[in-house]
Amino acid sequence: MALRHDHHTGARSQRQRRAGELIRHALAEMFQREEIHEEAFPTTPVTITEVRVSPDLKSATVFCSALGKDVFDEEVAQLNAISGAIRQVLGRKITMKYTPSLKFLPDETFEEAARINALLKETRRVD
């Protein structure tokens, strides 16, 4: 039995996770093969780290990072500006009833992990 989406715990159903992985793989392949021919596409290589799909599978939040860049707000803004074009190409690559609308956000997981590591090191020095 699949888990129901719970906004309080962030639990996602198996269906949402599968759809997210399908989209993540397709986007990663599209970006790697440079299949998006939009002038506004970022020149910095972008890595898709996670895709979270809404319960109705009609919208997806795409978390991404750029190698070697801590802050890449400009690239995320560029991706959001051409998300419609990205969605069109994605629609030809995936087999889903609806191609979800895409919203790109920076993945701050790595920065958060580095911050926690620094705090832990600082705590060890105090002991």
Side-chain angles (χ1 to χ4, degrees):
M1 187 169 162
L3 291 174
R4 287 261 183 230
H5 182 79
D6 184 348
H7 292 287
H8 300 292
T9 64
R12 287 172 292 181
S13 71
Q14 183 70 25
R15 183 172 165 231
Q16 286 172 273
R17 286 194 294 274
R18 275 195 322 264
E21 276 303 294
L22 175 72
I23 293 166
R24 185 180 70 79
H25 283 283
L27 287 173
E29 184 178 294
M30 288 165 45
F31 287 12
Q32 182 181 10
R33 293 184 179 177
E34 298 177 355
E35 295 179 33
I36 308 298
H37 302 289
E38 291 290 321
E39 196 172 304
F41 194 80
T43 55
T44 304
V46 174
T47 302
I48 307 300
T49 56
E50 183 183 1
V51 177
R52 293 183 188 166
V53 182
S54 65
D56 64 2
L57 306 182
K58 290 188 178 181
S59 63
T61 303
V62 180
F63 293 93
C64 49
S65 64
L67 232 59
K69 286 187 96 172
D70 290 335
V71 178
F72 67 110
D73 293 335
E74 184 179 323
E75 288 84 353
V76 170
Q78 290 170 323
L79 288 169
N80 281 313
I82 61 169
S83 66
I86 295 170
R87 182 180 182 214
Q88 280 185 330
V89 176
L90 177 66
R92 293 191 293 267
K93 296 210 156 281
I94 61 173
T95 54
M96 289 177 61
K97 187 173 183 177
Y98 300 103
T99 302
S101 61
L102 305 171
K103 179 181 179 184
F104 292 88
L105 292 176
D107 186 349
E108 298 172 348
T109 307
F110 301 113
E111 290 82 14
E112 186 66 15
R115 187 183 72 75
I116 290 170
N117 255 351
L119 287 171
L120 289 172
K121 284 181 183 178
E122 191 176 302
T123 303
R124 287 185 201 129
R125 277 188 244 134
V126 173
D127 291 343

